């Protein structure tokens, strides 16, 4: 179904990998991505061809109703020297795990409080201009808006898994931002699927970067790297092409 779409989207590797896995939704107390062991209980079917190589196809049974795909942007300086960083863009796509359709999205710019003036490097990297943050809520209010969106989308009573590209967003940035803002990390933010690991399980090769993963699926990148707007664009494009 993905292959029929005319757009090559950032999210496609997510869909292509996620659709192949049976996941287990047991909450675990530690901050962590689902472990390799979590993925090891697959039922093998016939080998199939992927990118010219045979891989063992795995039975597709999803224990999650939705995937929430997240990609934070944060304040930064050249060579990663800014400390602490603060979240400035909070985008999230809601993907139906059965249909792989993107049903809704949340997108919010966030005004940083410790370093409210973006560095030229950060503006250049993320495409987020200082004026785009004027009048935007702080992180605590952003989380309230996010939870309102989750409630509106009936996510709080459904089985969902957060999905990120790498562990940085939920292992490093989100808990650090919660600490800075004086709020607890919500339990649903303590476990996630790292698509780089999932890609590795699906293909036998570790996904070093989004661009490398896209390339191996012969998908071109749409949108802009280091920009959460890209996720929103995915939702818009998906609907236009549906
Ligand atoms: P990304 O997930 O690649 O969009 O990056 C997330 C955040 O990591 C960015 O918003 C920046 O704060 C930081 N970051 C990414 N790449 C760099 C870089 N080359 N130098 C400094 N910070 C970076
Ligand atoms: Mg990111």
């Amino acid at each position: 179904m993905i292959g029929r779409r005319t757009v090559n989207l950032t999210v496609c590797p997510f869909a292509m990998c996620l659709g192949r896995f049976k996941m287990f939704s047991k909450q675990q107390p530690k901050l962590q991505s689902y472990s390799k062991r979590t993925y090891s209980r697959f039922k093998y079917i016939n080998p199939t061809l992927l990118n010219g190589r045979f891989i063992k196809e795995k039975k597709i049974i999803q224990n999650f109703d939705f995937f929430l795909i997240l990609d934070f942007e944060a304040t930064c300086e050249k060579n990663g020297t800014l400390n602490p960083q603060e979240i400035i863009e909070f985008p999230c796509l809601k993907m139906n795990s059965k249909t792989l359709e993107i049903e809704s999205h949340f997108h919010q710019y966030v005004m940083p409080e410790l370093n409210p003036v973006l560095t030229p490097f950060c503006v250049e990297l993320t495409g987020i201009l200082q004026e785009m943050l004027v009048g935007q809520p702080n992180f605590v209010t952003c989380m309230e808006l996010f939870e309102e969106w989750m409630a509106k989308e009936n996510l709080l009573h459904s089985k969902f898994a957060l999905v990120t590209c790498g562990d940085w967003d939920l292992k490093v940035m989100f808990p650090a931002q919660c600490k800075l803002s004086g709020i607890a990390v919500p339990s649903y933010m303590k476990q996630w699927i790292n698509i780089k690991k999932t890609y590795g399980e699906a293909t036998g090769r570790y996904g070093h970067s989004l661009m490398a993963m896209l390339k191996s699926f012969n998908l071109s990148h749409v949108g802009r790297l280091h920009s959460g707007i890209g996720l929103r664009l995915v939702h818009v494009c998906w609907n236009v092409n549906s």
Side-chain angles (χ1 to χ4, degrees):
M1 191 167 71
I2 297 285
R4 276 199 294 113
R5 302 203 178 272
T6 52
V7 276
N8 291 327
L9 302 172
T10 303
V11 82
C12 284
F14 289 77
M16 293 175 83
C17 293
L18 291 172
R20 290 192 144 74
F21 288 107
K22 176 179 178 179
M23 314 266 186
F24 298 87
S25 59
K26 260 189 192 161
Q27 285 291 322
Q28 293 174 23
K30 277 197 321 190
L31 281 179
Q32 60 181 16
S33 59
Y34 292 94
S35 67
K36 193 172 177 183
R37 200 154 52 83
T38 312
Y39 300 135
S40 67
R41 295 162 63 193
F42 298 121
K43 186 167 178 181
Y44 286 97
I45 313 176
N46 294 325
T48 48
L49 195 63
L50 179 71
N51 285 347
R53 293 176 52 216
F54 279 103
I55 62 159
K56 285 178 180 169
E57 182 73 33
K58 292 158 187 176
K59 192 172 184 182
I60 303 167
I61 304 170
Q62 291 295 353
N63 278 355
F64 295 113
D65 299 324
F66 300 102
F67 297 116
L68 296 188
I69 302 164
L70 273 174
D71 180 25
F72 298 132
E73 299 308 325
T75 52
C76 54
E77 184 50 288
K78 209 181 277 180
N79 306 322
T81 50
L82 189 67
N83 186 25
Q85 290 179 271
E86 294 170 89
I87 291 176
I88 51 175
E89 190 177 15
F90 189 138
C92 181
L93 293 180
K94 176 190 175 194
M95 176 187 275
N96 184 313
S97 71
K98 310 287 184 305
T99 63
L100 301 183
E101 294 289 322
I102 296 165
E103 296 185 347
S104 176
H105 72 258
F106 173 83
H107 183 267
Q108 185 62 60
Y109 288 115
V110 184
M111 178 54 108
E113 296 181 288
L114 293 180
N115 292 298
V117 180
L118 299 181
T119 62
F121 175 81
C122 185
V123 171
E124 172 77 20
L125 184 82
T126 64
I128 299 171
L129 306 176
Q130 188 67 44
E131 50 266 36
M132 289 155 76
L133 300 183
V134 174
Q136 297 298 326
N138 66 10
F139 179 71
V140 173
T141 307
C142 173
M143 277 309 291
E144 288 166 7
L145 295 171
F146 181 61
E147 291 193 340
E148 273 174 29
W149 174 76
M150 288 176 76
K152 182 169 73 74
E153 296 293 331
N154 291 320
L155 284 164
L156 297 174
H157 302 294
S158 67
K159 286 196 284 180
F160 66 84
L162 295 162
V163 180
T164 56
C165 185
D167 283 334
W168 175 82
D169 298 75
L170 289 170
K171 194 168 189 173
V172 178
M173 191 60 240
F174 188 78
Q177 179 67 69
C178 287
K179 196 170 175 194
L180 278 179
S181 300
I183 60 173
V185 176
S187 57
Y188 60 81
M189 286 287 207
K190 289 185 178 174
Q191 205 165 26
W192 59 92
I193 296 167
N194 175 353
I195 197 69
K196 290 182 177 176
K197 290 183 189 166
T198 309
Y199 172 92
E201 288 292 303
T203 64
R205 299 183 304 275
Y206 185 75
H208 286 288
S209 69
L210 180 63
M211 295 308 279
M213 291 189 285
L214 286 168
K215 195 171 169 208
S216 80
F217 284 131
N218 290 323
L219 296 171
S220 57
H221 183 255
V222 170
R224 171 186 173 126
L225 278 176
H226 312 299
S227 169
I229 284 271
L231 284 187
R232 198 162 50 153
L233 184 70
V234 166
H235 185 199
V236 174
C237 293
W238 195 285
N239 285 337
V240 165
N241 285 277
S242 293

